[in-house]
Amino acid sequence: MAFLRRIRDYIEREMFLNELYDDARNLDHVLLAKRLELLNNIATPLFRDIGLNHWNGKYQWYSDFNSEGIKHVIEFNLLKGFSGGFTYGNCYNFVPTFSGKRLIHHRTEKSTKLIYYKRSDRWQNAIDTHRAINPDRINTANAKKFQKTLKYVLKKNITPFNTWFKQNSTIDDNILSLKKEILRPSQEAGIRIISDEYILAFLYKQKEDLTNAEHWMQEHFKKGVHNDIQMELLMKRLKN
């Protein structure tokens, strides 16, 4: 099996490099205005069909907040190597994040933030299994490739996005999903400032369960991403 994986990895690396060489030879990089035009024409109607009826005019689509203070969000991300990809997840009107030295909430359309953050499933799987090729890569080398790969990636992901949103529309749903993420963590390049534990702390605060809220915030602090002043502010916010 290890031998077969090495062969697979070699073939995929060659395919990836050949694609990059072809991109470089046919480079006519899709600039911002054209990207936004294609995203709006192709992605916006599909996202509207699954309840994300707002577009911020750039790279973010989102629903209204539901009765539990949860908003579904999809974002387009520009990546290295003439490429892009979709991330998705939830925004909460009761989970604050740091802006400089202040904690702010994300209750307006302008302040919408992808707090519970996930990559498209096939992209994340490629990272988890150390694959050279991201099957959900959107090619931005030129308009023809951008349009073709955008349509392909959306076709593969609209149903998974919609299914996940339906399964993560309540606070209890989100608590269950986040605990599963903690038990089976995805591969990451670094440590997320907004960890799964961080989100859980505020979900439990919303349920008025301070014991669990403090527990999960302490678990978040163990990751070492906040200084003492920030930790103090977060604990005060949990208790107020």
Side-chain angles (χ1 to χ4, degrees), residues 164-221:
W164 191 91
F165 290 145
K166 288 180 179 179
Q167 293 173 347
N168 290 274
S169 292
T170 70
I171 291 174
D172 287 338
D173 290 340
N174 280 249
I175 287 174
L176 181 61
S177 291
L178 286 160
K179 286 183 174 179
K180 288 180 179 178
E181 303 266 9
I182 291 168
L183 289 174
R184 297 187 298 273
S186 301
Q187 290 288 322
E188 295 290 342
I191 298 174
R192 294 186 184 181
I193 295 175
I194 305 173
S195 69
D196 295 336
E197 293 85 352
Y198 180 101
I199 302 169
L200 275 172
F202 283 101
L203 291 174
Y204 275 111
K205 171 182 166 58
Q206 190 71 1
K207 289 173 64 70
E208 299 182 352
D209 183 346
L210 188 57
T211 300
N212 270 311
E214 290 184 348
H215 165 75
W216 286 110
M217 188 58 74
Q218 291 298 336
E219 291 298 306
H220 168 71
F221 290 156

Side-chain angles (χ1 to χ4, degrees), residues 120-131:
S120 63
D121 296 351
R122 300 191 314 154
W123 176 12
Q124 184 63 59
N125 184 62
I127 295 173
D128 292 342
T129 55
H130 308 286
R131 305 292 287 265

Side-chain angles (χ1 to χ4, degrees), residues 24 35 98 213:
R35 282 199 301 270
F98 277 100

Side-chain angles (χ1 to χ4, degrees), residues 25-211:
R25 286 194 300 269
N26 298 284
L27 183 61
D28 184 14
H29 200 255
V30 186
L31 299 180
L32 177 61
K34 187 62 176 179
R35 282 199 301 270
L36 295 181
E37 177 188 340
L38 290 171
L39 285 168
N40 188 36
N41 290 342
I42 298 170
T44 298
L46 294 174
F47 293 154
R48 188 182 298 119
D49 286 344
I50 62 172
L52 279 65
N53 53 341
H54 300 286
W55 177 49
N56 73 346
K58 293 184 179 179
Y59 295 146
Q60 191 180 75
W61 297 260
Y62 48 90
S63 67
D64 295 308
F65 282 115
N66 66 18
S67 60
E68 297 204 27
I70 298 170
K71 173 190 294 189
H72 303 314
V73 184
I74 293 177
E75 291 185 354
F76 175 76
N77 309 98
L78 285 175
L79 308 170
K80 294 179 180 179
F82 315 122
S83 62
F86 284 109
T87 52
Y88 68 104
N90 285 335
C91 176
Y92 311 89
N93 64 14
F94 52 84
V95 178
T97 63
F98 277 100
S99 177
K101 298 180 180 180
R102 298 185 303 113
L103 278 170
I104 63 167
H105 283 279
H106 302 275
R107 294 167 176 160
T108 65
E109 290 192 12
K110 187 176 180 180
S111 66
T112 298
K113 183 178 181 66
L114 192 49
I115 294 174
Y116 185 169
Y117 168 98
K118 294 176 66 66
R119 297 179 183 88
S120 63
D121 296 351
R122 300 191 314 154
W123 176 12
Q124 184 63 59
N125 184 62
I127 295 173
D128 292 342
T129 55
H130 308 286
R131 305 292 287 265
I133 293 178
N134 169 14
D136 281 343
R137 173 181 180 254
I138 298 168
N139 194 318
T140 64
N142 57 62
K144 182 178 179 180
K145 286 189 174 185
F146 183 80
Q147 187 167 349
K148 179 181 178 180
T149 55
L150 175 62
K151 288 181 177 179
Y152 172 78
V153 170
L154 287 170
K155 180 180 178 180
K156 291 292 184 179
N157 284 283
I158 281 293
T159 297
F161 288 159
N162 193 32
T163 299
W164 191 91
F165 290 145
K166 288 180 179 179
Q167 293 173 347
N168 290 274
S169 292
T170 70
I171 291 174
D172 287 338
D173 290 340
N174 280 249
I175 287 174
L176 181 61
S177 291
L178 286 160
K179 286 183 174 179
K180 288 180 179 178
E181 303 266 9
I182 291 168
L183 289 174
R184 297 187 298 273
S186 301
Q187 290 288 322
E188 295 290 342
I191 298 174
R192 294 186 184 181
I193 295 175
I194 305 173
S195 69
D196 295 336
E197 293 85 352
Y198 180 101
I199 302 169
L200 275 172
F202 283 101
L203 291 174
Y204 275 111
K205 171 182 166 58
Q206 190 71 1
K207 289 173 64 70
E208 299 182 352
D209 183 346
L210 188 57
T211 300

